[in-house]
Amino acid sequence: MKHMTLPELQFLDNAQTLGADDILVVGLAKNNDTIEVVSTGLDSDLVTALTTQAGLIQADGAPDSTWRIPSPEGCAASSVVLTGLGSNDLTIDVLRQAAGSAALALNGPGRLVFAIEAKDEEHTQAIAEGALLGCHRVTKLGLSPAKTPPTIAVVGSLALPRITQAQRGAEAVWQVRDLVTMPPNMLNPSSFVEHVSALAKGTEVSIEVLEEKELEKQGYGGITAVGKGSQNPPRLMVLRYQPGSPTRHVALVGKGITFDSGGLSLKAPNAMVGMKYDMTGAAVMAAATLAAAALGSPAAITAYLCLAENMPSGSASRPNDVITILGGKTVEILNTDAEGRLVMADGLQAASATKPDLIIDAATLTGAARIALGERYAGLMGTDDAVAQIVASAAHVGELVWPMPLPRELRTLLKSDIADIANAKPGEVLGGMLLGGLFLKDFVGEGIPWAHLDIAGPAANSQGAWGYTPKGATGAITRTVLDVLMSRP
Ligand code: BES
Ligand code: MN
Ligand code: ZN
C-alpha cells in the first residue's frame, strides 16, 4: 500500500501571472440576494467578469457547492472554480471547508491556485489546510493511478510554523484515511504495525510491539480474548515521544479492530460491511502522535494501539466467558460484538498504570453513537477538565464533537453475577453510547483526567462529500487530538 504524499504548497503575492496549467479558485458569497466574488490578488476587471459569469449560470454561492467556468478574457488560467461561501460570516471554518470543497472537486494534473480573500494569517492557514485536506484521493487497487493535484498555491503569505502546522495536520489526516481505507484482507494487526512502523521511520517516535504470547503473559486479557478467534493474532503497539522537558504526559488509547465480524455474536451481513473502519481510533492516535512529534509537541506522548481482528471460530471467545483485564478486574463477556471495550480496557489500564496527566481515547465503539449523533459529530464523554480540553481543541481546528453524560444509574445494567462487570446487557438498547463510555470508565485510574471519543459516526462518511470531507474514511478527530497534544494548558 502506497501512502499518498502531500502536494507541494506554494504562496503567491497575487494571481496575475497564471498559466494554462493553473486552475484558479475564488470564493462566491451571497449577501441579500446579490452574489459576490470573494477574491484577492486579481485585477478588478477579472473580478467583474467572474461576477457576471457567476450570475449567468445562476451560481448561488451555497456552501459545499462549486461551479467551474471557463477563464474569462484576460485570465490565463485554464479554468476558474467558484467555491460557495454561503451568506454568513467568513469564518475560519467556512474558508477551510470551502477551500476543501474546491480541492475535492478538482482532479490534477494542473496547479490549483487559491485566490480567496483572507483577512489574516489564521484565515490564510485555514485556506491552505482545507485545500490540502480536500485533495487527498483514494488509490484504487488496480491500474488507475490516483489523481492528486501536484501543487497547491495560495495567494497570501504565511509564517513557516503555520505552513508546517497546516501540512503536518493534513498529512496526519491523509495517513488515517489511507490506513482505514485498506481492505481487511490487506490490513490485519501485524500489517498495521508494519505500516505505522514505516511511517514512524526516521522520526523521534519509538515503538514497542507486544505480540500475542507476550500479551497473554503480561495479562492483557481483553486484547487476547478478542484476538484469539482469528488466524491473524492480536498486537499492542505502543508509540512513545519524549521531548526534552515535557510540560505534561498525555496518554492516547485507540481501538484497532482491523475487522469486526462480531465474533460468535456474529453481525448480520449488512452490518458487517464497513467493519474495516473499526481500526480508525488506532489510526487516529498513531497519526496524531507522529504529527505531534514532527511539530515538536511540548507534551510527552504514549499511544496505546489495541489491535485485534474479531472473528468467530473454534478458538474464539464465547458469550459467558470471564476474562481478566490488565490490572486484575474481571469481565463477563455477554456479547462478543462488544469487543472494542475489551481491548480498550487493557489499553486504558496500561495507560493508567503510568499515571499520565491526561488520557484521551478514540474508538468506533458503538452503533448507538451513530444513531444518536449521526455521521458528523463524535460523542465525547469523560471528566470535566479533559472534556473541556477536547471541546476547545475541536473548536480550534473546526471539528465536531458533542459532550454526552455518563449517567451513574446506567452502570447497574453492566452488573455481572460472576465478574466485576459485564461487557453488555443483552437486549438492552437504551443509551448504548453512554453504556460504552461507562464500561470504559471502570478501567481509567482514579483521578486521571480522561476523555473518551466515540467516533463510530464521523470515522466514515457514507453520504456524499462535504467540505474537505470525502466519501469513505474521513480522518476526523485526528486534528483535534493533535491540537490537544500541541497545546500548553
Ligand atoms: N464496531 C462496532 C460499533 C460500530 C457499529 C461502529 C456501526 C460503526 C458502525 C462495535 O464493536 C459494536 O459492534 N458495538 C455493538 C455494541 C453492543 C453489542 C453492546 C453495537 O453497537 O451494536
Ligand atoms: Mn463489535
Ligand atoms: Zn467493533
Side-chain angles (χ1 to χ4, degrees):
M1 162 85 189
K2 197 172 153 313
H3 288 276
M4 306 287 306
T5 44
L6 289 184
E8 191 197 332
L9 180 60
Q10 305 172 339
F11 290 87
L12 308 176
D13 292 337
N14 58 59
Q16 276 155 0
T17 55
L18 304 185
D21 278 345
D22 294 325
I23 297 172
L24 175 65
V25 182
V26 298
L28 189 66
K30 185 177 189 176
N31 297 312
N32 314 318
D33 288 338
T34 45
I35 50 167
E36 184 198 344
V37 168
V38 178
S39 65
T40 182
L42 303 181
D43 66 50
S44 59
D45 290 352
L46 180 52
V47 176
T48 308
L50 290 172
T51 311
T52 307
Q53 290 271 353
L56 287 172
I57 61 168
Q58 293 178 341
D60 65 359
D64 289 336
S65 307
T66 56
W67 298 263
R68 192 164 182 180
I69 56 176
S71 266
E73 193 90 23
C75 175
S78 66
S79 63
V80 180
V81 173
L82 309 163
T83 186
L85 299 172
S87 47
N88 297 322
D89 285 352
L90 294 184
T91 60
I92 290 171
D93 293 342
V94 167
L95 291 175
R96 196 190 285 108
Q97 297 288 2
S101 302
L104 239 164
L106 292 166
N107 280 326
R111 178 173 74 157
L112 303 186
V113 182
F114 289 80
I116 307 173
E117 187 182 19
K119 69 165 191 262
D120 58 24
E121 282 218 334
E122 265 194 297
H123 287 64
T124 306
Q125 183 178 343
I127 293 169
E129 276 170 2
L132 293 174
L133 290 166
C135 64
H136 176 264
R137 299 290 179 269
V138 166
T139 315
K140 283 233 169 78
L141 302 169
L143 293 177
S144 40
K147 292 184 198 141
T148 303
T151 310
I152 297 287
V154 176
V155 178
S157 70
L158 212 49
L160 188 59
R162 286 184 177 275
I163 298 179
T164 317
Q165 227 178 57
Q167 286 175 316
R168 292 288 83 81
E171 183 179 60
V173 171
W174 284 37
Q175 288 170 349
V176 175
R177 289 181 190 168
D178 286 342
L179 280 167
V180 174
T181 302
M182 284 189 74
N185 59 333
M186 297 184 192
L187 191 77
N188 56 43
S190 71
S191 57
F192 182 103
V193 166
E194 284 169 26
H195 281 285
V196 172
S197 302
L199 294 173
K201 216 170 172 169
T203 72
E204 280 173 50
V205 174
S206 70
I207 296 173
E208 183 191 355
V209 181
L210 298 190
E211 306 206 336
E212 70 270 31
K213 290 211 178 61
E214 205 51 38
L215 287 168
E216 210 180 324
K217 206 172 111 195
Q218 293 191 24
Y220 288 87
I223 299 175
T224 302
V226 174
K228 71 185 188 153
S230 170
Q231 302 272 8
N232 302 307
R235 297 283 184 266
L236 175 69
M237 184 175 202
V238 186
L239 306 181
R240 290 189 178 85
Y241 167 71
Q242 185 71 36
S245 21
T247 50
R248 57 175 178 166
H249 175 208
V250 182
L252 308 174
V253 184
K255 172 177 174 182
I257 301 298
T258 58
F259 187 72
D260 181 12
S261 71
L264 288 178
S265 312
L266 197 64
K267 286 183 184 292
N270 292 345
M272 214 182 283
V273 176
M275 282 303 138
K276 69 171 182 178
Y277 294 112
D278 218 19
M279 35 60 71
T280 303
V284 163
M285 292 319 196
T289 302
L290 294 172
L295 291 169
S297 162
I301 305 165
T302 313
Y304 300 85
L305 315 177
C306 308
L307 305 165
E309 187 182 43
N310 188 23
M311 296 291 270
S313 78
S315 62
S317 290
R318 319 155 189 78
N320 285 128
D321 278 0
V322 174
I323 62 169
T324 305
I325 301 298
L326 186 74
K329 281 195 179 143
T330 54
V331 179
E332 184 180 13
I333 300 177
L334 293 182
N335 188 326
T336 65
D337 198 11
E339 85 298 340
R341 60 198 71 184
L342 301 177
V343 302
M344 296 297 282
D346 272 345
L348 290 167
Q349 276 291 291
S352 296
T354 69
K355 301 239 182 318
D357 301 300
L358 172 66
I359 299 178
I360 308 172
D361 84 65
T364 47
L365 204 68
T366 65
R370 301 179 76 226
I371 295 186
L373 293 173
E375 281 192 327
R376 295 203 182 182
Y377 282 84
L380 171 60
M381 286 142 274
T383 59
D384 293 346
D385 43 357
V387 164
Q389 289 184 53
I390 300 282
V391 167
S393 282
H396 189 216
V397 303
E399 293 193 313
L400 303 173
V401 299
W402 203 258
M404 286 284 160
L406 290 173
R408 199 188 305 251
E409 75 276 8
L410 291 185
R411 174 63 181 78
T412 55
L413 298 174
L414 295 176
K415 278 195 173 146
S416 163
D417 299 335
I418 189 171
D420 291 325
I421 190 170
N423 77 331
K425 180 172 163 77
E428 181 63 65
V429 293
L430 299 184
M433 165 173 39
L434 317 180
L435 220 46
L438 276 171
F439 180 92
L440 296 185
K441 186 176 177 220
D442 267 33
F443 299 91
V444 177
E446 194 68 35
I448 302 175
W450 160 66
H452 162 54
L453 286 152
D454 193 333
I455 55 171
N461 174 21
S462 65
Q463 310 293 309
W466 57 282
Y468 55 75
T469 303
K471 191 165 176 290
T474 63
I477 298 302
T478 309
R479 292 185 308 111
T480 297
V481 175
L482 176 58
D483 191 79
V484 176
L485 296 174
M486 294 309 296
S487 61
R488 298 168 182 273

